[in-house]
Amino acid sequence: MSEATLVDTSVLLDVLADDPVWMDWSGRALAEAFDAGSVVINQLVYAEASVGFERVELLDDVLPASHFTRENLPWAAGFLAGKAFISYRRRGGARRSPLADFYIGAHAAVRGYRLLTRDKARYSTYFPTVKVIAPQ
């Protein structure tokens, strides 16, 4: 059975930047996600990944639409992201944590996707229905 996986930006950046600590884990996990089914990115992941690129064409070369399913953010995910963010803030979460992270988790939750990330604690806490793939 094919499973779709939404990829968090941290994993993509590990691979794109050849991160000395996380490249091996992230590269292996991303390859396993491709083997399992479609690999999804959304506008937020695309925007966060774009920071290291001078031109959109260069980013598109490393995140080709032929490999990464580009999916619009669901409206219902916006609502869920807002609720999760409020819960996070009420528990004393730092303001520096961007709402975008909650939107990524909400996208996976609303669509029933697995989520490939290095931030297991946050996503598991605020999106308990999402199967999180993260380092142990």
Side-chain angles (χ1 to χ4, degrees), residues 4 8 15 18 35 40 43 59 78 81 87 94 103 107 109 116 124 128:
D8 192 16
V15 174
D18 197 17
D35 288 344
V40 179
Q43 293 95 329
L59 179 59
S87 177
Y103 214 143
H107 184 174
L116 177 56
S124 294

Side-chain angles (χ1 to χ4, degrees), residues 70-121:
R70 296 175 182 200
E71 188 171 294
N72 290 323
L73 294 159
W75 286 98
F79 183 84
L80 181 57
K83 296 303 176 199
F85 186 72
I86 290 296
S87 177
Y88 167 80
R89 292 291 299 133
R90 287 183 179 148
R91 291 180 180 185
R95 289 190 187 273
R96 64 178 172 73
S97 180
L99 180 58
D101 290 349
F102 291 93
Y103 214 143
I104 290 167
H107 184 174
V110 166
R111 292 286 194 239
Y113 295 154
R114 303 176 326 154
L115 180 61
L116 177 56
T117 183
R118 283 195 285 108
D119 191 0
K120 181 176 183 150

Side-chain angles (χ1 to χ4, degrees), residues 27-73:
R28 200 170 38 256
L30 189 57
E32 290 170 4
F34 278 113
D35 288 344
S38 61
V39 175
V40 179
I41 60 173
N42 60 33
Q43 293 95 329
L44 295 170
V45 172
Y46 188 85
E48 290 174 339
S50 76
V51 173
F53 294 86
E54 293 295 320
R55 296 189 352 257
V56 68
E57 296 84 4
L58 297 174
L59 179 59
D60 286 344
D61 284 346
V62 298
L63 297 177
S66 60
H67 290 74
F68 294 88
T69 302
R70 296 175 182 200
E71 188 171 294
N72 290 323
L73 294 159

Side-chain angles (χ1 to χ4, degrees), residues 5 7-8 10-12 14-15 18-33 115-120 132-136:
T5 305
V7 181
D8 192 16
S10 61
V11 172
L12 293 176
D14 292 344
V15 174
D18 197 17
D19 183 274
V21 174
W22 291 106
M23 168 57 187
D24 288 342
W25 183 88
S26 292
R28 200 170 38 256
L30 189 57
E32 290 170 4
L115 180 61
L116 177 56
T117 183
R118 283 195 285 108
D119 191 0
K120 181 176 183 150
V132 177
I133 302 163
Q136 296 303 325

